[in-house]
Structures are given as structure tokens and as C-alpha cells.
Amino acid sequence: MKWNSKLYDNKHSFVAEYGKSMIDLVNVEEDQKILDLGCGTGIITNELAKEGATVIGIDSSIDMIKKAKLNYPNLNFQVGDATNLCFQNYFDTVFSNAVFHWIPNQKKLLCSIYNSLKDNGKLICEFGAKNNVFQIQTAFEKALKQKGYSYSSEFYFPSKDEYKLLLEETGFEIQHIIEYDRPTLLYDGEKGLRNWVCQFFASYLSNISYEETEQILFETEKFCKNSIWKDNQWIADYRRIQIIAVKNK
């Protein structure tokens, strides 16, 4: 997945805005060490650092980290692999918003996070749950097939029970885990769904001509019209898992 930091900030800032609502779950006192895992352009990293905590933002995207450093030059941002963190027993909290569903190897991810946490350190995260953006994925798949292209989801959207088991197998003690619907307004009016598809399905469109891409986007919108077009705006069918888990000694 190649991220467009400008499109992400301009058209998908709702991702960070929802992430801000989770900050209340984090202890951000001065003596805390926090990892913002999958920090994007640094918006939440900056919020976490405002109370004086030591915060490191890590993202696999060079473009995102470059933008984060421009946005917040006084903060520590690094390009890194979430499944292979170079920290041992270092963080009080690993925080992550809307990232885990992009990572295929969840066991390796959770082991990496577990090892980076201090004893009794916390993982606080939220990401896509089972059937997240089901309507959009279904419509996009149909639109691709009409043009002779295939679709195989890049996302990992587990159920709460499925992920609870993975956490426990890694050694985490679960304090809080919920799975819920979170209908999400896509910014930019009629262009909202098109912007979303161009960002999050970019890998499918990158090798398709402009003309065919426009047709696929139009058909995706048409297929979604009866399900997520409401009151002259696109309301994406988001579902989320929210977690607080503690590293056992």
C-alpha cells in the first residue's frame, strides 16, 4: 500500500479525529513513554505529547513520516516495521489507531508489541472489525469484475472473539474489548466515496488506465447509492474493535 500523505490529511482527517477520542484512555503524564504505532502524519502523536510524555511515532510509509516531521519537527518520528520493533521492555503504552487491519501477520505484530512494552504496559488500539466497509468492498469488487479485474481484500477484519484469542495467546490480559458499528461521514460531499476508494484501494487502481478507473469509480458509487448515500453525503459502513490489553509479568 502506497500512502498519499496529502490526500490522507486533506480528505481523510476523520481517521485522526476518531483517534483523538481514544486519547482519554491513555496515561500521558510526563514520565510516560508512549509509542504511536502507525502514526501517519503525526496528528495524534502530537496530541499524545502535549502533556509532556515521551512519544515516538513510527510508520512504515516514508511519505507519511516525511510529512509528520514537517508538521511537528520537535517530535521523534521513525520509519519502521510494526512486526519487528527494535525496542525491548521500553514503553508504558503502545497506542495505535486504524492500523492493525493493514498488517497480515497478526501474531508477529502482537509479539513485537508485547516485547516492546514494560511489564504491566498497555496496548491501546482500535481498528477495523468483521464486516468493516462491507458495502464499499462489495461494490468495488463488482465494479472491478465488470472490467475483467479481480479483487482480493488486503484487509484483516477479525471478530472480537477471534482477536481476544490472539491477544491471550500472546500473553496479554484483556481489560477492555468491544466490537461496534461506527458509521463514518466521508468528507467532500459527492466526491467522498471516490476519494476514499482512491486512497484505500490505490493498489488496485495504480495499473489501470485513467478512463477505466473513472468507470470503476462511477460504478462503485452507483452500487453504493442505495446503501451508504444518505442525506446527500456518503456514510461509510465502518465497524470497529477497541482494545485495552496489559502485558503480564
Side-chain angles (χ1 to χ4, degrees):
M1 174 70 179
K2 186 175 181 180
W3 291 94
N4 181 327
S5 62
K6 184 176 180 180
L7 181 61
Y8 186 84
D9 273 355
N10 291 344
K11 304 300 183 184
H12 309 300
S13 58
F14 61 83
V15 177
E17 289 302 316
Y18 277 114
K20 286 180 183 179
S21 67
M22 294 175 59
I23 292 176
D24 289 341
L25 304 176
V26 183
N27 182 355
V28 291
E29 294 176 356
E30 288 187 20
D31 61 344
Q32 297 296 296
K33 292 184 174 66
I34 301 171
L35 172 62
D36 183 7
L37 190 57
C39 63
T41 56
I43 296 170
I44 295 177
T45 319
N46 183 58
E47 293 295 321
L48 289 167
K50 283 182 176 179
E51 300 300 322
T54 299
V55 186
I56 298 174
I58 289 181
D59 202 286
S60 62
S61 168
I62 295 172
D63 187 49
M64 290 289 203
I65 291 296
K66 183 179 179 181
K67 183 69 181 297
K69 288 180 175 180
L70 287 173
N71 289 344
Y72 310 104
N74 296 324
L75 297 182
N76 185 347
F77 294 102
Q78 303 174 17
V79 176
D81 178 358
T83 67
N84 191 27
L85 296 170
C86 60
F87 303 92
Q88 292 289 325
N89 304 312
Y90 184 80
F91 293 107
D92 297 284
T93 301
V94 172
F95 177 93
S96 187
N97 175 56
V99 175
F100 284 18
H101 49 245
W102 291 105
I103 301 174
N105 194 333
Q106 292 289 312
K107 288 185 178 180
K108 192 174 180 183
L109 169 67
L110 290 177
C111 284
S112 177
I113 292 170
Y114 189 90
N115 291 335
S116 75
L117 284 166
K118 298 176 182 178
D119 289 342
N120 296 317
K122 290 185 179 181
L123 166 62
I124 298 175
C125 62
E126 186 170 292
F127 59 97
K130 186 176 181 180
N131 292 325
N132 185 54
V133 294
F134 177 80
Q135 297 293 341
I136 297 175
Q137 286 200 91
T138 301
F140 184 68
E141 181 177 13
K142 287 168 66 176
L144 281 179
K145 283 184 176 180
Q146 286 185 345
K147 294 297 178 183
Y149 300 103
S150 61
Y151 173 77
S152 178
S153 177
E154 298 176 331
F155 300 113
Y156 171 71
F157 294 143
S159 68
K160 177 183 69 174
D161 290 340
E162 179 183 346
Y163 213 76
K164 180 175 181 288
L165 182 60
L166 281 175
L167 288 163
E168 290 172 342
E169 287 176 346
T170 306
F172 283 104
E173 177 184 338
I174 297 166
Q175 287 190 339
H176 166 82
I177 184 168
I178 58 172
E179 181 178 346
Y180 68 101
D181 294 333
R182 197 196 70 195
T184 299
L185 171 65
L186 302 182
Y187 299 158
D188 210 13
E190 290 186 357
K191 296 179 181 178
L193 179 59
R194 174 176 296 246
N195 294 334
W196 192 99
V197 170
C198 287
Q199 174 72 81
F200 298 111
F201 292 148
S203 59
Y204 287 95
L205 300 174
S206 59
N207 296 317
I208 298 175
S209 70
Y210 174 80
E211 290 75 16
E212 280 196 314
T213 294
E214 285 298 303
Q215 292 168 5
I216 289 166
L217 293 171
F218 175 79
E219 290 299 316
T220 301
E221 290 171 332
K222 187 172 75 172
F223 290 137
C224 284
K225 206 75 174 182
N226 290 331
S227 58
I228 64 169
W229 176 252
K230 301 172 183 177
D231 300 323
N232 295 317
Q233 54 192 0
W234 294 105
I235 308 294
D237 53 328
Y238 273 38
R239 302 196 72 251
R240 282 308 194 241
I241 288 178
Q242 187 180 95
I243 293 165
I244 303 175
V246 179
K247 177 180 178 177
N248 284 323
K249 291 183 179 180

